[in-house]
Amino acid sequence: MTKRIFRSIFLVALTVLLVTMALVMGAVHRRFTQMQTEQLRTETALAAHVLENQGLEALNTLDPSFRITWIAADGSVLFDNRTDEGTMPSHQARREVAQAMDQGFGQSVRYSDTLLERYVYAAQRLSDGTVLRLAVSQASALSLALDMGQYMVVILMAAGLLIMLLSRRLARSVVQPINDLDLEDPLSGQVYEEITPLLRRLEDQQAQIRGQKQELKRRQKEFNTVTRSLSEGLVLLNAQGTILSINPAAARLLDVTENCLGADFAVANRQEAIARLVEQALAGEKGERTLELGEGTYLAAASPVRSEGAVFGVVLLLFDVTQKQRAEALRREFTANVSHELKTPLHAILGYSELMKSGMTPPQDIPGFSEKIYAQARRLLALVEDTLRLSGMDEGTLDLQRSELDLFAVVRQTAAELTGPAELGQVRLEIQGEKTLITAIPQLVSAIVFNLAENAVKYSRPEGLVRLRVESRDHRAILTVEDRGIGIPEADRERVFERFYRVDKSHSREIGGTGLGLSIVKHAAAILGAEVKLESELNVGTTVTVAFPQ
């Protein structure tokens, strides 16, 4: 823009200079002609005076730069200092001569047919009727310019240089305020009224852009916050496979840095299976695959993003399905275990029933068979009830409403319910503690206390002791169930809370255990946010501590 303004100013100034010089030359030429004409008139008057007083010989003494012609009254040429008068035609019709004869003095400017030049003529009538004419060649404007050529070249060069310097400075001074405009606040630098509409439009656009930038930043911040908090991995790619966005979970699972934005995913990624999924998605086909990443199992899903039928990006999601896989494995194991556990009492009941139905059972054995059928039916019922209770906890179908309750009162009630079984096993129950209030789900608290106390009674030796203690410590209600029973081997202590796991399977079946009691305890404690701790020593006893939050 500066160059264009400079060229425009320079050309305009140079044009003005040339036109001015042409006008000046014209004025100079006109003035020069005027002066030449006045001088010629004076010289003509002087020459006429000399001719009348001194004769024809005196004309030869005049300035030879003038052409002197003496013309008779009839128009014939009597004398000419430049041309042979005998060869010259009549001058009577010449304008200056005719005017002089008529008015006494005549003057004209014309092209001389004789000398082939442009001349200024002045003619004066003498007393004897003859006319004396003086002429001098007139310099044209071009010849005048050529005569002044050296000076004009110097003037033009100096003026051109000055115009160039001034044009450059002026162009810069015109453009500088525009270059200094603050595009963030265009109206603050308003210097030209002519560009005010443009500055206002810039101001409006800047305000719109600022609003859009703030909105984009807000959305980007929200997107980053959401993606960073996701436990699932998220990767966004463009149509060329370049990484546009990657959250920390995906960076950790794929073992890449979060600074890999703009890198080729095929180069940054080290998982061949995921690379194939991305290639498939870039080709327009959705794909997913379950694979091991880190210490877990993840479902990788790559989906193409389309616009007007063309793929312009890929979304890669990594879902953690570790717990789902484990839950499915546990569910399959649980189903198999339940089926196995249910078969044993059902087979026993079916076997005794068939013997009694066939009539082959002696009458004296019927009461024993009935007792065994009854025991197996009770065991079957307990197994079904525990299974339903665990399933209800898993599915969340139980009516689990929290309320305030006294943990010590629950312990007293449980001890009362187990008095009969304890007396049969010759086990002494002891209760310690005081009123301790907690906010929890009553059904789950009762299940925890009952299963722990029942297990302690079942696995205690005759003349043994089961102690139930409730206390408040560090803002928590502590339930301790201690027995002096058979204990748990060290190798089995980590697994006793698994479903259907029994340390001594034969002994558990003899006492009617289902293998689900401690599983119920662990599951209920997790729902309540309680902490379970088990300490045991083989052939010495077991102590289970449950810490309920108050």
Side-chain angles (χ1 to χ4, degrees):
M1 181 175 181
T2 305
K3 292 182 179 180
R4 293 180 62 184
I5 294 177
F6 165 74
R7 286 197 297 267
S8 299
I9 295 176
F10 180 78
L11 291 176
V12 169
L14 187 61
T15 302
V16 171
L17 174 64
L18 294 175
V19 171
T20 301
M21 290 188 67
L23 293 176
V24 168
M25 289 301 299
V28 169
H29 179 262
R30 188 179 298 108
R31 178 60 180 165
F32 181 77
T33 301
Q34 183 180 1
M35 292 174 62
Q36 195 175 36
T37 302
E38 291 176 356
Q39 182 184 7
L40 183 61
R41 182 169 187 167
T42 303
E43 291 290 340
T44 301
L46 178 62
H49 178 75
V50 170
L51 179 60
E52 286 185 334
N53 294 320
Q54 299 182 14
L56 181 63
E57 292 78 6
L59 293 178
N60 294 321
T61 62
L62 297 178
D63 188 351
S65 62
F66 293 97
R67 180 187 178 186
I68 304 173
T69 305
W70 187 22
I71 304 167
D74 59 358
S76 60
V77 178
L78 301 175
F79 173 81
D80 191 281
N81 65 347
R82 297 281 181 90
T83 306
D84 184 8
E85 57 273 13
T87 61
M88 296 179 66
S90 175
H91 281 45
Q92 189 175 13
R94 303 293 169 89
R95 188 175 64 177
E96 69 278 2
V97 174
Q99 188 177 4
M101 289 181 177
D102 183 41
Q103 300 178 5
F105 183 83
Q107 195 171 16
S108 68
V109 178
R110 71 174 187 276
Y111 186 81
S112 173
D113 295 332
T114 304
L115 299 179
L116 303 178
E117 291 185 43
R118 187 177 181 82
Y119 274 78
V120 178
Y121 295 92
Q124 183 172 339
R125 187 181 61 196
L126 301 180
S127 57
D128 59 358
T130 62
V131 175
L132 180 65
R133 187 187 71 175
L134 270 67
V136 63
S137 63
Q138 183 186 34
S140 65
L142 179 60
S143 62
L144 185 63
L146 291 176
D147 291 340
M148 298 177 62
Q150 182 178 359
Y151 304 102
M152 290 185 65
V153 169
V154 174
I155 292 173
L156 281 175
M157 291 179 62
L161 180 61
L162 182 61
I163 290 172
M164 182 182 298
L165 294 176
L166 293 177
S167 299
R168 181 173 299 173
R169 184 172 181 179
L170 181 59
R172 289 177 178 175
S173 65
V174 170
V175 175
Q176 190 62 38
I178 300 177
N179 291 335
D180 293 339
L181 281 176
D182 183 6
L183 295 181
E184 297 296 330
D185 187 12
L187 293 178
S188 64
Q190 184 176 0
V191 291
Y192 301 126
E193 183 179 353
E194 292 78 6
I195 64 173
T196 299
L198 174 62
L199 296 181
R200 286 177 179 170
R201 290 191 63 181
L202 287 176
E203 176 69 19
D204 295 339
Q205 290 181 349
Q206 284 293 332
Q208 184 178 0
I209 292 173
R210 284 193 294 269
Q212 292 174 348
K213 287 176 64 177
Q214 291 177 356
E215 180 66 16
L216 287 175
K217 287 182 179 179
R218 183 185 65 81
R219 293 186 179 182
Q220 183 67 34
K221 185 177 180 180
E222 291 178 355
F223 177 78
N224 291 337
T225 302
V226 171
T227 56
R228 286 183 176 276
S229 62
L230 288 175
S231 59
E232 294 80 9
L234 173 64
V235 183
L236 301 180
L237 310 174
N238 64 9
Q240 289 71 40
T242 303
I243 300 175
L244 302 179
S245 177
I246 182 170
N247 70 342
R252 174 178 52 83
L253 293 171
L254 299 177
D255 193 21
V256 298
T257 63
E258 293 186 59
N259 298 326
C260 64
L261 299 182
D264 190 345
F265 183 77
V267 177
N269 172 54
R270 297 182 178 88
Q271 299 291 334
E272 183 179 355
I274 293 180
R276 287 198 296 269
L277 284 177
V278 171
E279 291 176 0
Q280 182 179 344
L282 288 173
E285 298 181 10
K286 180 179 179 181
E288 58 182 34
R289 181 174 179 179
T290 302
L291 65 160
E292 300 293 328
L293 293 176
E295 299 179 355
T297 305
Y298 288 82
L299 175 64
S303 301
V305 181
R306 300 178 182 274
S307 178
E308 298 180 356
V311 176
F312 71 92
V314 172
V315 177
L316 174 64
L317 291 171
L318 303 173
F319 298 99
D320 186 358
V321 294
T322 305
Q323 295 299 328
K324 180 180 178 181
Q325 295 286 336
R326 290 177 182 174
E328 290 179 354
L330 286 175
R331 189 176 294 109
R332 289 192 296 268
E333 181 182 358
F334 179 69
T335 302
N337 288 334
V338 168
S339 300
H340 178 73
E341 293 295 331
L342 289 176
K343 284 180 180 180
T344 302
L346 284 174
H347 284 167
I349 293 173
L350 182 60
Y352 290 127
S353 299
E354 286 181 349
L355 289 174
M356 294 174 64
K357 179 182 178 182
S358 64
M360 299 173 58
T361 306
Q364 63 273 14
D365 292 337
I366 291 179
F369 282 12
S370 301
E371 182 63 30
K372 290 179 180 179
I373 291 174
Y374 177 74
Q376 292 297 330
R378 284 178 58 86
R379 181 166 176 266
L380 182 61
L381 180 61
L383 184 61
V384 171
E385 288 178 348
D386 286 347
T387 302
L388 291 175
R389 186 177 293 111
L390 265 178
S391 298
M393 292 181 187
D394 288 338
E395 303 298 333
T397 57
L398 297 178
D399 184 16
L400 305 179
Q401 297 294 328
R402 292 180 180 265
S403 62
E404 189 177 64
L405 69 151
D406 181 5
L407 180 59
F408 186 67
V410 175
V411 169
R412 280 203 313 265
Q413 181 180 355
T414 302
E417 294 176 359
L418 294 175
T419 300
E423 290 178 352
L424 291 175
Q426 300 178 13
V427 177
R428 182 165 59 92
L429 282 173
E430 181 179 311
I431 301 174
Q432 297 178 356
E434 60 184 5
K435 181 178 181 180
T436 304
L437 298 178
I438 62 173
T439 301
I441 301 170
Q443 302 95 312
L444 299 185
V445 174
S446 298
I448 291 173
V449 176
F450 184 85
N451 279 286
L452 290 178
E454 185 182 34
N455 276 359
V457 171
K458 287 181 179 179
Y459 293 98
S460 290
R461 296 189 181 91
E463 305 301 329
L465 172 66
V466 173
R467 180 180 293 113
L468 306 176
R469 183 171 63 252
V470 177
E471 58 184 326
S472 181
R473 184 171 64 243
D474 298 332
H475 304 288
R476 295 192 298 178
I478 310 299
L479 167 67
T480 304
V481 180
E482 179 183 356
D483 66 62
R484 296 291 181 262
I486 61 176
I488 302 173
E490 184 176 358
D492 297 318
R493 290 172 194 167
E494 296 296 328
R495 301 192 60 191
V496 294
F497 291 99
E498 295 180 8
R499 300 177 182 185
F500 297 109
Y501 186 82
R502 299 184 181 91
V503 177
D504 186 351
K505 296 179 174 56
S506 61
H507 182 66
S508 296
R509 288 193 177 95
E510 289 176 1
I511 61 176
T514 64
L516 295 175
L518 290 181
S519 295
I520 293 174
V521 170
K522 182 180 180 181
H523 205 143
I527 294 174
L528 295 174
E531 181 182 351
V532 181
K533 181 180 179 182
L534 183 143
E535 296 177 355
S536 182
E537 187 175 348
L538 192 61
N539 298 321
V540 175
T542 302
T543 301
V544 181
T545 303
V546 183
F548 295 93
Q550 287 184 295

